[in-house]
Amino acid sequence: MNSTAPTRGFNDVITGSFDRLARVYDTALVQQVFYRPPQDETIAELRRNRSRRIADIGCGTGILASRIQRELRPEQVFGVDASPGMLEQARARNPLVTWLHSAAESLPFDDGALDALVTTTAFHFFDQRAAVAEFARVVGAGGLVVVATMHYSGPLARGIQQVTRNSFAPAHAPAPDETRDLLRDAGFDVLDQRKVHRPLPNRLIPDVITLGRRR
Ligand SMILES: C[S@@+](CC[C@H](N)C(=O)[O-])C[C@H]1O[C@@H](n2cnc3c(N)ncnc32)[C@H](O)[C@@H]1O
């Protein structure tokens, strides 16, 4: 992994805690309620787009990347994560996915190598400007980006967002318009942005999926 990537403050502590969580991360209820809904919507978008070379960034234990490989059978699927512990679980899950140890802010792909890049429930841990610049570098013209992440709203959330925007904060859940601006500034047209459909009230887990097309 490139240790000079411009990650957020304490990102090594965050990814280190995922190393320790990795063995219990796949608990069925947590997956069903929390992680699976944005993954289902991401797969639907990839299917619609007929993407062939796809990377899942912050792939964790590899559930989404593995489902992409099994359900869509594209040419190539990559799962990228900064936590060796999470990747160990991912490797055991599916040998047909290429698992890569890397930070989102310094991706191990050539320019324009992918035609789709997705990230679910991990973007808040990234240095978002650096990561989105990398997304724009590695996704070729016409390629798809899918970002599903937490988007709290209301006065308290806005206060927290002001404080955490600084990349010393270990996590920052950007407001929806901030994600749209980041993608546009980096070279994506924003195609859609909507709440993720969940079995729980959206107020409890308020995540939003944003779709972009590389110009
Ligand atoms: C909450 S998990 C989500 C995993 C998976 N996307 C899912 O939906 O289940 C967040 C993941 O982001 C990874 N992560 C955090 N910061 C990262 C960074 N800067 N670059 C790459 N991965 C990172 C963590 O190691 C962890 O596996």
Side-chain angles (χ1 to χ4, degrees):
M1 181 162 118
N2 177 359
S3 57
T4 59
T7 51
R8 286 194 161 276
F10 308 103
N11 193 241
D12 50 345
V13 178
I14 296 281
T15 54
S17 65
F18 278 107
D19 281 343
R20 289 183 286 280
L21 262 178
R23 281 165 199 271
V24 294
Y25 185 84
D26 293 348
T27 313
L29 182 66
V30 176
Q31 286 300 324
Q32 207 58 34
V33 171
F34 199 69
Y35 294 109
R36 190 168 169 119
Q39 296 175 355
D40 287 344
E41 294 195 26
T42 298
I43 288 184
E45 294 299 338
L46 291 170
R47 180 174 281 120
R48 211 167 286 138
N49 200 61
R50 298 180 188 201
S51 305
R52 308 304 309 159
R53 294 183 313 283
I54 304 165
D56 175 18
I57 312 300
C59 65
T61 57
I63 293 176
L64 174 59
S66 184
R67 283 186 61 198
I68 292 170
Q69 190 279 320
R70 293 207 167 101
E71 295 176 28
L72 304 181
R73 303 269 167 192
E75 279 163 30
Q76 274 185 304
V77 186
F78 302 91
V80 177
D81 202 281
S83 157
M86 295 295 259
L87 282 173
E88 198 180 314
Q89 305 293 317
R91 281 199 183 93
R93 185 184 302 284
N94 188 335
L96 298 179
V97 174
T98 304
W99 303 106
L100 299 168
H101 181 219
S102 179
E105 297 84 352
S106 174
L107 291 172
F109 302 111
D110 292 339
D111 297 0
L114 304 173
D115 65 4
L117 180 150
V118 304
T119 181
T120 63
T121 326
F123 191 64
H124 48 287
F125 293 128
F126 302 164
D127 179 318
Q128 283 130 20
R129 195 162 289 282
V132 169
E134 278 293 84
F135 298 175
R137 181 184 68 76
V138 301
V139 174
L144 183 73
V145 67
V146 180
V147 176
T149 192
M150 294 296 142
H151 281 302
Y152 296 95
S153 55
L156 179 61
R158 273 194 290 281
I160 293 171
Q161 279 155 5
Q162 289 295 342
V163 176
T164 58
R165 192 162 294 142
N166 185 309
S167 63
F168 285 116
H172 171 62
D177 57 350
E178 197 182 332
T179 302
R180 285 200 304 273
D181 289 349
L182 274 170
L183 290 173
R184 279 198 194 109
D185 290 353
F188 291 95
D189 289 329
V190 176
L191 304 176
D192 191 19
Q193 186 175 59
R194 57 178 190 265
K195 288 180 177 168
V196 172
H197 296 290
R198 291 188 166 276
L200 286 173
N202 196 268
R203 206 171 293 169
L204 289 181
I205 311 178
D207 52 355
V208 167
I209 190 164
T210 307
L211 311 178
R213 170 108 38 227
R214 185 77 173 95
R215 287 194 285 271

